[in-house]
Amino acid sequence: MSGFTVRPVPVEVPGLTHLHTGKVRDLYATASGDLVMVASDRVSAYDWVLPTEIPDKGRLLTALSLWWFDRLADIAPAHVLSDTPPPGAPEDWRGRTLVCRRLDMVPVECVARGYLAGSGLAEYQADGTVCGVALPDGLQDGSRLEEPIFTPATKAEVGEHDENVSFERVAAVHGAALAEELRTATLALYRRGRELAEERGILLADTKFEFGRDADGTLVLADEVFTPDSSRFWPADGWEPGRPQPSFDKQVLRDWLTSPASGWDRASEEPPPPLPQDVVDRTRDRYLEVYERLTGSPAPVG
Ligand code: ATP
Ligand code: MG
């Protein structure tokens, strides 16, 4: 079992139509057909959206996405129109709302990997490839890949795992031209992000992009970008291939959830328990630190 421990209730805002409640974001449509994405403070671990929120997380990730969109615009235009919440929105939406062009989304999770971890590691250990890309022998948990690789996945519902697929599969379903376009954009964006993050002592092990088409057919970068929710961030000074790397943002809560203190059995069907205040505080500090290290600016939170 997995999914939401507490089902989020959409907010009623005059003029907005609720479209979707994701693990983290709530989506609405404006009367003119634009998309309103509101990043909540929800946090997930082990396929569960936890019952406790991390205050300001949605604001930090929204600000971080905006910072990155600016630095990637020459590679792919972003879907953002404005960061001003629509009239009548709750005060709490300020800083966590992006009004975006509503795109025809490409139903492929465009993953780039520069290090071996997660499902990439599992596939490599099983047969030496990731999404059909053959890798050299002898790589370990956390190894850096000589060249970043494009490892697409199909999108799953809340609580389900995305499924890794080969480039050929994407080409067969969506056409070779689009598959090429996705791979080229994904790898170019990832290279830019990895380089920038590395200068700031953060390894961007892997990341996921989502793209959509606008009315003219242009491929546009959608969703969020290079946030800890869409990426694996590792502190560079703690990197040591051959064991799982500590994660910048979620290590504190993962460690607590799997410790005897939580009383939770990950293998059980039971939802995880609420987080204690010190775990919340320390997790929030990690999100603040990621933001401040990457951008070099104080986090935009009260
Ligand atoms: P998760 O990302 O945690 O797997 P999720 O994708 O279901 O969960 P969120 O990330 O919380 O949920 O919600 C964002 C949703 O908005 C995604 O379904 C994404 O594909 C969609 N989306 C993002 N940008 C656009 C856009 N410009 N036009 C249309 N849909 C978009
Ligand atoms: Mg998402």
Side-chain angles (χ1 to χ4, degrees):
M1 252 294 285
S2 57
F4 290 106
T5 39
V6 182
R7 186 85 208 164
V9 181
V11 177
E12 300 262 348
V13 178
L16 295 188
T17 310
H18 176 255
L19 297 174
H20 174 76
T21 296
K23 284 201 283 279
V24 169
R25 271 148 323 141
D26 301 310
L27 298 192
Y28 301 81
T30 67
S32 61
D34 292 331
L35 188 74
V36 178
M37 281 197 344
V38 185
S40 73
D41 292 336
R42 298 193 285 273
V43 65
S44 62
Y46 302 119
D47 290 329
W48 283 97
V49 178
L50 302 182
T52 312
E53 298 192 332
I54 306 300
D56 295 317
K57 172 177 174 277
R59 283 201 182 85
L60 290 166
L61 300 204
T62 300
L64 192 56
S65 278
L66 280 173
W67 185 84
W68 281 113
F69 278 132
D70 273 350
R71 279 152 189 84
L72 301 167
D74 61 309
I75 302 175
H79 65 151
V80 178
L81 296 170
S82 153
D83 61 359
T84 306
E91 187 49 37
D92 177 61
W93 280 21
R94 194 165 300 283
R96 58 173 86 247
T97 301
L98 294 180
V99 182
C100 302
R101 284 186 273 170
R102 191 169 177 186
L103 302 168
D104 182 12
M105 295 299 289
V106 177
V108 177
E109 307 265 82
C110 292
V111 177
R113 297 173 190 273
Y115 293 78
L116 210 50
S119 67
L121 175 69
E123 273 193 48
Y124 172 77
Q125 286 172 338
D127 68 3
T129 69
V130 185
C131 296
V133 181
L135 295 175
D137 289 341
L139 298 179
Q140 296 176 296
D141 191 349
S143 285
R144 184 181 170 97
L145 305 177
E146 200 76 32
E147 282 298 323
I149 54 174
F150 175 57
T151 60
T154 55
K155 206 177 165 70
E157 296 303 312
V158 171
E160 303 290 318
H161 282 299
D162 295 342
E163 190 192 341
N164 284 351
V165 292
S166 67
F167 177 80
E168 287 69 27
R169 174 93 194 130
V170 175
V173 175
H174 301 288
L178 178 59
E180 280 293 351
E181 204 180 355
L182 294 174
R183 176 164 65 185
T184 303
T186 296
L187 292 175
L189 292 166
Y190 174 71
R191 284 205 172 84
R192 169 82 52 86
R194 168 160 100 168
E195 214 169 281
L196 266 160
E198 219 163 72
E199 288 167 10
R200 292 151 167 93
I202 294 177
L203 302 184
L204 227 166
D206 52 41
T207 195
K208 177 200 81 176
F209 306 107
E210 291 189 38
F211 296 95
R213 294 252 182 233
D214 69 8
D216 312 334
T218 308
L219 197 67
V220 175
L221 185 54
D223 212 46
E224 60 181 334
V225 70
F226 293 135
T227 66
D229 278 6
S230 67
S231 321
R232 269 197 183 83
F233 287 145
W234 296 336
D237 54 13
W239 177 58
E240 194 189 310
R243 57 143 168 83
Q245 311 303 308
S247 122
F248 221 112
D249 54 315
K250 288 193 186 155
Q251 204 59 43
V252 174
L253 57 90
R254 284 195 192 131
D255 288 350
W256 183 78
L257 282 170
T258 52
S259 75
S262 77
W264 182 59
D265 176 9
R266 206 185 141 184
S268 76
E269 301 273 288
E270 292 300 308
L275 303 172
Q277 191 61 43
D278 75 298
V279 173
V280 172
D281 293 344
R282 282 187 293 134
T283 301
R284 182 173 181 273
D285 287 347
R286 300 312 296 272
Y287 282 102
L288 284 168
E289 192 185 342
V290 170
Y291 180 89
E292 293 184 350
R293 267 175 75 167
L294 281 171
T295 67
S297 304
V301 296

